[in-house]
Amino acid sequence: MKNLTRPDSDEYFLKIASVVAERATCRRHHVGAVAVKNKHILATGYNGAPSGSRDCLELGCLRDELKIPSGTRHEICRGIHAEQNVIIQASLHGVSLEGSTIYATHTSCVLCAKMLVNAKIRKYVSFGSYNDNSFADLFREAGIEAVIKKRPSSRINFLD
């Protein structure tokens, strides 16, 4: 029998966030987010155009066309960030994110960080860095624990 190690909760939910990110329609970054409370998934979100509208895979990236650097001029992008979508999905289904942990493939931009503070999350766990670190001061001030882990293995282990 193979000697398999069971991933801890952080690695498990970060792997799930990575799979969620595969649904992203952004040409620059595939970002996934998972809201978790008491080891149960509350909602997921990925970055992309609003539901029912044409996305960047179809239309191309407006930010690239205008040569806008990552981490700036968020209002130019037609996409919604993964954290915004996780908040929206929770809201649509009547689920509070208060006291939850957000697992995401990238650290938060400051706009998403503001929303997460108001959603009253308790913790944010990520492995990738976004080109805007101002979330860290805001989370610290709001008492939200921010943890940066190493990227989990993309390998899925099965018993044969």
Side-chain angles (χ1 to χ4, degrees), residues 56-119:
C56 298
L57 296 178
E58 180 182 345
L59 297 174
C61 178
L62 184 58
R63 294 172 60 82
D64 279 348
E65 291 169 21
L66 298 174
K67 297 181 178 17
I68 298 170
S70 183
T72 65
R73 304 286 317 273
H74 299 282
E75 75 281 4
I76 300 295
C77 182
R78 67 177 56 91
I80 299 170
H81 288 187
E83 298 94 331
Q84 294 167 347
N85 268 327
V86 86
I87 292 167
I88 292 164
Q89 288 302 310
S91 174
L92 286 172
H93 297 286
V95 176
S96 171
L97 297 182
E98 186 171 356
S100 68
T101 298
I102 302 297
Y103 290 90
T105 58
H106 294 68
T107 54
S108 182
C109 76
V110 71
L111 297 174
C112 290
K114 291 176 193 179
M115 293 178 198
L116 293 169
V117 167
N118 277 1

